[in-house]
Amino acid sequence: MTEDLRIFRTLKRGDLLLNEQLKTTLCSLAHAIALHYGKSCEVAIHDLTVKNAADSSIIYIENGEVTGRKVGDGASAVVLEELSQAEQTREDRVGYFTKTTDGKVLKSTTVYIRDDKGKAIAIFSINHDITALSVAAASLTELTAPATASEPEKITPNVGELLDELLWKSTELIGKPVALMNKDDKQRAIRYLNSKGALLITKSGDKIATYFGISKFTLYSYLTDEEESD
């Protein structure tokens, strides 16, 4: 722990109390979180029981270089806004984004520490610098994103299942069950299957013809009609 822990004194203002035991507990928790996430994670404790909390509320801070703050500095703009609200409207905020003056992107969390009467006496603040992670995420998105927006294609374990999947997709393309399809619908569905290579699967013609309730001759005539129209 830092020297700051040893110079804390019990502070009172009215019926509010931020005692040494609570401070030590909060500081131990802050220290553990900072160690867990490393130098990119700032953890600060704000004492709201001091007279000028807005100006000099920080009584403990780990990795203050993230925001450039130190013990004795005041609250952030977000915290100031919260402090300007009525006590009962102050709510914890978890995982929101903030930004430093030098352009760092932070993922922040603000938790109010309350006394037994429900009054906020301290703020436990976490500011995690995710600038590098954001850049990495953008790069990964660019690498993993398809050239055009589409659903990921399913990879089936065998060609039989692949044919079943293509038959289902051809029905979905038409938007009606086979029993309600007319000749044009079936012809369009079969052309779709051909464009996807379904007819290249061994003995697929028999299964496709049976699926659409047509003969193999009719099936291939649909494809011949396609070629002639082209």
Side-chain angles (χ1 to χ4, degrees):
M1 288 298 180
T2 68
E3 181 66 21
D4 300 317
L5 276 174
R6 288 189 284 273
I7 63 173
F8 288 154
R9 290 177 296 178
T10 301
L11 301 172
K12 293 184 178 180
R13 189 177 121 206
D15 58 352
L16 300 181
L17 175 66
L18 183 58
N19 60 40
E20 194 72 30
Q21 182 179 2
L22 179 55
K23 286 179 184 177
T24 301
T25 300
L26 293 176
C27 290
S28 296
L29 181 59
H31 185 63
I33 291 174
L35 284 177
H36 181 86
Y37 288 101
K39 291 293 184 181
S40 62
C41 184
E42 174 192 271
V43 188
I45 300 169
H46 298 264
D47 185 355
L48 302 184
T49 66
V50 296
K51 288 185 178 181
N52 299 314
D55 299 322
S56 56
S57 60
I58 298 179
I59 58 171
Y60 183 81
I61 189 167
E62 291 268 1
N63 300 326
E65 59 272 15
V66 170
T67 63
R69 296 183 301 173
K70 61 185 182 305
V71 170
D73 284 341
S76 66
V78 174
V79 173
L80 282 178
E81 183 178 349
E82 289 288 334
L83 291 177
S84 68
Q85 305 299 317
E87 177 72 40
Q88 61 271 22
T89 63
R90 297 176 187 172
E91 296 182 351
D92 297 345
R93 297 182 63 185
V94 178
Y96 61 95
F97 292 110
T98 54
K99 198 171 185 179
T100 64
T101 55
D102 58 356
K104 295 175 187 172
V105 178
L106 312 178
K107 188 173 184 180
S108 302
T109 288
T110 301
V111 177
Y112 286 94
I113 309 301
R114 302 178 183 275
D115 64 11
D116 56 2
K117 295 182 180 180
K119 291 184 179 181
I121 58 175
I123 293 175
F124 193 90
S125 173
I126 301 173
N127 297 301
H128 191 192
D129 181 1
I130 60 168
T131 309
L133 292 175
S134 298
V135 173
S139 298
L140 289 172
T141 298
E142 185 176 351
L143 286 171
T144 58
T148 57
S150 62
E151 286 294 318
E153 292 291 333
K154 184 182 293 185
I155 298 178
T156 54
N158 57 69
V159 292
E161 288 189 22
L162 174 58
L163 182 56
D164 289 339
E165 178 74 13
L166 289 172
L167 286 169
W168 178 82
K169 284 188 175 182
S170 70
T171 305
E172 187 180 46
L173 174 69
I174 303 304
K176 62 178 76 170
V178 174
L180 299 180
M181 289 186 190
N182 56 31
K183 177 183 175 180
D184 289 340
D185 294 332
K186 291 180 181 179
Q187 195 168 33
R188 184 182 169 204
I190 289 170
R191 287 176 177 174
Y192 166 81
L193 290 170
N194 190 42
S195 71
K196 295 298 182 180
L199 274 297
L200 298 176
I201 298 174
T202 303
K203 296 183 179 180
S204 61
D206 292 328
K207 187 168 185 176
I208 294 172
T210 301
Y211 183 83
F212 287 102
I214 58 176
S215 66
K216 285 186 68 176
F217 175 82
T218 301
L219 168 66
Y220 289 110
S221 71
Y222 284 170
L223 298 176
T224 302
D225 290 344
E226 178 185 10
E227 291 173 358
E228 291 177 353
S229 64
D230 291 343

